[in-house]
Amino acid sequence: MVRNNIEVDVKVKCIEQGKTQAKLAEEIDTTKTYVNRVIKKNESVVNNTFVKMMEALGYDIELQYVERDVN
């Protein structure tokens, strides 16, 4: 199981940076519809087979976000 709520995580990071999903989509050269679809469908963010393998091994998955050093 992926423990993160990716939809909430992305929305929070957008708010923290003052960006809309539309602006984020523009920056990564895609559509706002696609960005929204990806964050609402967690299995497209983390490969479903990988999740099943880790579950079979007795693990859940937690994503950790680390801000990049731009210097």
Side-chain angles (χ1 to χ4, degrees):
M1 166 175 115
V2 178
R3 293 183 153 198
N4 298 68
N5 184 329
I6 294 168
E7 181 177 3
V8 170
D9 293 347
V10 172
K11 287 180 178 181
V12 167
K13 295 300 180 195
C14 282
I15 290 168
E16 288 174 353
Q17 294 190 14
K19 290 184 185 179
T20 63
Q21 287 181 31
K23 178 65 177 164
L24 179 62
E26 181 182 305
E27 289 179 7
I28 63 171
D29 198 29
T30 193
T31 65
K32 62 183 179 182
T33 304
Y34 185 69
V35 166
N36 189 266
R37 186 175 25 183
V38 167
I39 66 173
K40 285 188 177 289
K41 191 173 179 187
N42 286 340
E43 62 268 12
S44 67
V45 174
V46 179
N47 182 284
N48 197 39
T49 301
F50 174 70
V51 173
K52 287 179 183 179
M53 290 187 305
M54 295 310 290
E55 287 176 342
L57 292 167
Y59 290 90
D60 286 334
I61 299 165
E62 291 182 359
L63 301 174
Q64 180 180 359
Y65 311 108
V66 179
E67 193 168 356
R68 249 188 284 151
D69 183 12
V70 293
N71 292 326

